[in-house]
Structure formats: C-alpha cells, structure tokens
Amino acid sequence: MRTLVDIIEQHIRSMIDRSADGSISIQRAELAEQFRCVPSQISYVIDTRFTPERGYIVESRRGGGGYIRIVRVTGGGRGAQLLRVLAEEVGEYIDQRRAENIIERLRDEGFIDERQAALMRGAVRRESIPVELPLRDALRARILYNMLTALAAVEQQMRRAQRGRKA
Amino acid sequence: MRTLVDIIEQHIRSMIDRSADGSISIQRAELAEQFRCVPSQISYVIDTRFTPERGYIVESRRGGGGYIRIVRVTGGGRGAQLLRVLAEEVGEYIDQRRAENIIERLRDEGFIDERQAALMRGAVRRESIPVELPLRDALRARILYNMLTALAAVEQQMRRAQRGRKA
DNA sequence: ATTTGTTTGACTTTGCCTGACCTTGAGCAA
DNA sequence: TTGCTCAAGGTCAGGCAAAGTCAAACAAAT
C-alpha cells in the first residue's frame, strides 16, 4: 500500500521536475487541503523527504503571504568532487536514515546506479552492524566514508583511463 | 501430520509461483489471520524457509503501510551466483583477506564490475570496522552478507524487468 | 533424555498521521 | 509609533499501524 507521504512526495518531486529552475514555492495549508490532510503532514513529508542530505534546501516564511520554498541543488556533474564533499558530511556518527538519504541523493543525481545504491544500502543497514548505539552510528560513518572515498578513487581512475584512451 | 510452517510455506511458494515476476508482497498480520496464528509465526516461516541459501531474499518495512516482500532468485543469473557464493563462503566470521578474495573472484568472473568491487572493498576494510577481533570479523561477515543479498535482489529485479521489456 | 524444531505472546521499534498549541510576519487602526 | 488581528508556517507529543525480537512453552525426532 502506498502511503500519503509517498504520494505527496511524488507530487512535490514532479512539481520540481516541471519547474524551470528546480525550485518551487508552495503554501502548506493549500497543499494539505488538496490531499485532505492536516498541514503538519506536509511538514512531515518535507522534513523526511526533502532534506539537505538528499540535496534540497528548504526556506520558509510565516505570517501573511507565507510560503515554503523547496530548492533542489545538484552536484553540477563533478562526480569525484561531490563524493568527497559528501564523505566529509558523513562526520563521526551517522544514523541509518541520514546514510540512506545520502545514498538516495547520489542515486538521484546519477552518480551511482541502482546496483551500487543497493550495495551501499546493504552495508549501512542496521542488521549489518548489530552493536549498541552509539558505536553502531560510528561504525556506519566509517563504512560509508570508506565506500564513498573508494568510489571517488575509482571514479578518478576511470576518468584518467578514459582520457588516455581518447588521447 | 504436516505442520503449520509447512502449510504456510507451501502457500507462500504457490503465491510466488502464480506471480508474474517471482516476487510477492504480503502483510504479516493479514496472512497470520488467514492461518489463525500469531504474526510472529509468519516471521518464523520466513526466517527458516525463505533464506538466501534457498534462493530467496526478503525485504520489509514497518509502520503504517508496512509490508514484507519476498523475492525468488532463480536460474543462472548474476543474482543466483551471488547467493551461491554467499551461502558457500561467507560464514559468521570473515577476515579481510578472505573477504577481498571473494570480492576479487566475483569481479574476475564478471558478477560484479570494478565500481561495485571498489564499494565492497571500501566497506570491508579494516578501517571501516575499527573494533577488536573477533567482533570485527563478525561484523565484516554481516556487512558482506547484506551487500551481497541486496545486490542479488536488484540483479534479479533487473533481469525480470529486462525480460518483460523484450516480451 | 536430549536435542531440535514449532508455536505462542509479551514487548520493542519504526514510521505515518493528527491535533493542539506556539511563533512569526503583514496590514491596519488609533 | 504602538498595538491589535489575522494569516501563515513550526513544533511536539501522542495515537495508531505495521513488522521485529526474544524467551518460554510445547512437540517431535533421535
């Protein structure tokens, strides 16, 4: 069964896709009415699905004429560089949700394919690291970091090989 | 007398047989009600009968809109090969050397490509799992296990999608 | 008798959804 | 200005809906 969150998420994504500049402005109450739910449900969707890790920036203003603005930021096509930036972002601890967000973003931007995403998700699952918090989040951070840097290294290597072949 | 486990297993198998793509989605509570047993009985059936060793992969989600998805990995595709290697060579503990040997072999045989290999090597590095032995080798085994099953599931999924497109 | 496998149910964790209440900003009137 | 009112969005705790875990009781097999 698809949930309301999923449906609303998809709706927002398609609005962003259709937009010229990868950003949209919405009115929380209005969208809520469209989907016949409470306004805070919209907040929930945004909090869980349009996070910085996934590559979105959200701005909003209250009061009369208020709005919520969702901006999609992309890595600009420089794969290895983005990978290093994300690796930094991982930090010392990371929970499963945030790790999956980062993987989702890489997938979304086309830096990794579905298979690589699956591998990474498998590695950061709770079941892969059956130890107590906060050790679990610390290990997940190390694992994700090492996967990202390993990928960045291969990325660069392939790029070099590619150049060599062309030249 | 056949036990409940057997009956439920049979039922799930036949559902998968009847499915178009070799995978099904069920609701644990609903199935439990059908067989008039507690939900955890369904978990038991799945844990003992639909394992990777037997060629099945299970994914699930909790909470509202939750489900359990069972995928049968068939034939000689990559997914099946990955599961075979998994069943035969990844036990409860695995050291870095053996893990890398497995990854290397998978790459040599063309079951994974260089990027996938790089990701896997990154995940199983000693630096990714900075804890004492024998815990480190145990976690490495879990990580490798989950990466392989996740990849196998996607491979299977892609295989079926491919076949569907051809037909 | 011991061990292995099944069944049950209490408790936990995760994730979605709602509603009550809080904070902020704009417009306007005194 | 100051302050009132109303129109937004923000927060948070709680309820509900799933699946997961685990130990204990029970059954079957050796």
Side-chain angles (χ1 to χ4, degrees):
Chain A
M1 151 73 172
R2 283 179 86 236
T3 62
L4 231 199
V5 211
D6 288 337
I7 293 166
I8 295 173
E9 176 191 359
Q10 202 173 351
H11 182 253
I12 293 176
R13 287 173 87 100
S14 93
M15 279 197 293
I16 294 176
D17 284 343
R18 283 198 308 274
S19 80
D21 62 348
S23 82
I24 59 163
S25 254
I26 59 175
Q27 302 243 268
R28 193 179 73 151
E30 185 190 308
L31 202 56
E33 201 183 349
Q34 215 176 305
F35 288 99
R36 257 154 261 202
C37 62
V38 295
S40 55
Q41 174 77 326
I42 306 298
S43 298
Y44 179 71
V45 175
I46 290 170
D47 287 350
T48 57
R49 309 290 209 260
F50 296 90
T51 64
E53 293 103 13
R54 286 191 181 205
Y56 295 91
I57 292 172
V58 178
E59 306 161 330
S60 65
R61 223 168 81 197
R62 308 191 196 195
Y67 61 87
I68 299 177
R69 184 178 157 74
I70 303 176
V71 183
R72 173 179 218 152
V73 303
T74 72
R78 299 173 309 282
Q81 197 173 322
L82 175 71
L83 285 167
R84 274 193 296 273
V85 170
L86 286 181
E88 287 308 311
E89 211 174 282
V90 167
E92 248 189 284
Y93 302 89
I94 194 168
D95 63 27
Q96 183 170 343
R97 174 54 72 96
R98 288 211 304 127
E100 282 173 348
N101 283 343
I102 287 176
I103 295 166
E104 173 68 17
R105 175 174 182 192
L106 289 169
R107 168 81 197 79
D108 230 54
E109 296 199 19
F111 289 127
I112 60 176
D113 64 22
E114 190 50 43
R115 292 176 170 89
Q116 290 153 14
L119 272 178
M120 296 180 75
R121 281 191 216 105
V124 302
R125 291 182 65 185
R126 236 181 310 280
E127 289 80 2
S128 290
I129 321 168
V131 297
E132 288 302 304
L133 290 174
L135 179 59
R136 185 164 72 231
D137 283 356
L139 294 180
R140 182 180 291 112
R142 304 299 309 148
I143 294 166
L144 185 55
Y145 177 90
N146 279 301
M147 284 195 293
L148 290 172
T149 53
L151 196 55
V154 170
E155 180 80 16
Q156 213 148 48
Q157 213 167 11
M158 298 223 162
R159 202 165 292 266
R160 257 199 303 278
Q162 189 65 22
R163 253 203 316 277
R165 211 169 305 130
K166 274 181 190 164
Chain B
M1 167 54 183
R2 292 170 77 221
T3 65
L4 228 201
V5 207
D6 289 335
I7 294 168
I8 295 173
E9 176 190 0
Q10 209 45 40
H11 182 254
I12 293 177
R13 280 176 183 281
S14 95
M15 278 197 293
I16 295 175
D17 284 342
R18 285 197 309 275
S19 80
D21 64 349
S23 80
I24 58 164
S25 247
I26 60 174
Q27 302 239 265
R28 193 180 73 152
E30 186 190 307
L31 202 56
E33 202 183 349
Q34 255 183 73
F35 289 98
R36 264 155 263 237
C37 62
V38 294
S40 55
Q41 173 78 321
I42 306 298
S43 298
Y44 180 72
V45 175
I46 290 171
D47 286 350
T48 57
R49 309 291 207 259
F50 295 90
T51 62
E53 290 77 17
R54 295 184 183 212
Y56 294 91
I57 290 163
V58 178
E59 301 164 331
S60 66
R61 205 167 118 192
R62 309 193 197 192
Y67 62 86
I68 298 178
R69 180 154 174 272
I70 304 176
V71 182
R72 182 174 52 202
V73 178
T74 61
R78 279 183 211 161
Q81 302 296 339
L82 291 172
L83 287 195
R84 197 176 41 70
V85 169
L86 170 64
E88 290 169 5
E89 305 191 37
V90 184
E92 287 213 32
Y93 303 88
I94 193 166
D95 62 32
Q96 181 168 348
R97 175 62 62 100
R98 286 215 304 127
E100 283 174 347
N101 284 343
I102 290 175
I103 294 166
E104 184 58 25
R105 230 195 68 225
L106 289 173
R107 208 198 71 69
D108 279 349
E109 295 179 4
F111 299 141
I112 61 176
D113 66 23
E114 186 49 42
R115 283 173 201 225
Q116 290 158 5
L119 278 174
M120 294 178 77
R121 281 190 218 105
V124 302
R125 292 182 64 186
R126 203 166 285 108
E127 291 79 4
S128 290
I129 321 169
V131 296
E132 290 302 307
L133 290 174
L135 177 59
R136 192 195 318 143
D137 283 357
L139 294 181
R140 183 180 290 112
R142 302 298 307 153
I143 293 166
L144 193 53
Y145 179 99
N146 280 299
M147 285 195 293
L148 288 173
T149 53
L151 182 57
V154 172
E155 288 288 357
Q156 184 67 16
Q157 194 178 298
M158 302 242 165
R159 193 147 167 268
R160 299 213 194 267
Q162 189 62 27
R163 198 175 329 137
R165 211 171 305 128
K166 278 178 186 166

